[in-house]
Structures are given as C-alpha cells and as structure tokens.
Amino acid sequence: MSPVEPFLVHIRCDTDGYTHAVTEDEFATGRHDGRFRAVCGHVVLAAPMIEAPGRFDPECRDVLRGGTAPEPSVPRQERRRSRWRSRR
C-alpha cells in the first residue's frame, strides 16, 4: 500500500501577503484563533476569505518539492504596509 499524501489547505497570510500551505492537522489546531503553522514554519495569520490568493510562498514551495521539513527555528514575520491607510 502506498503512503497517503497529506491534505494541504492553502491560506493567504495577512502579515506577508503570501499564500502558504498548511497541513490538515495544523489547520484543525489553529482554526479557533486564526493562526496556523505553515509547512515552511511561518505562522500564518489568516487574511479575510474575500481576499484574492496571493503569490505562493517560495519557502513552502521548496519544502513541498523537496519533501523535507525546514529546520526548527523562529519564523520570520514581516509586516507589509497596510492597504487601508488613508492617502493624502
């Protein structure tokens, strides 16, 4: 019997704008507070579902293609500029 592929949920992160791959187990763990650990190690703060998907995270792509999990470390969190700022 062949191994079963993990089910992945793709969630856009509100802090970095990328769409990240999240396993089904991580999705179930973080569904109540809206924070999910992606396969790349990034903590995803889910964007509103009305947002269009962003670019797929290159680190998640590398992990999925290579099949190896990244070394445990403190994930980098980058804050993008708010799109709701008033323009003057």
Side-chain angles (χ1 to χ4, degrees), residues 36-69:
F36 311 94
R37 172 91 45 196
V39 296
C40 68
H42 182 80
V43 176
V44 177
L45 176 62
M49 296 300 157
I50 61 170
E51 294 273 340
R55 287 184 30 218
F56 196 73
D57 179 50
E59 292 181 32
C60 283
R61 182 179 293 122
D62 291 343
V63 170
L64 294 174
R65 285 182 179 166
T68 59

Side-chain angles (χ1 to χ4, degrees), residues 13-50:
C13 181
D14 202 34
T15 57
D16 69 359
Y18 283 122
T19 296
H20 293 269
V22 177
T23 64
E24 181 178 24
D25 293 336
E26 287 294 327
F27 181 78
T29 301
R31 69 179 178 211
H32 294 293
D33 63 357
R35 294 179 189 271
F36 311 94
R37 172 91 45 196
V39 296
C40 68
H42 182 80
V43 176
V44 177
L45 176 62
M49 296 300 157
I50 61 170

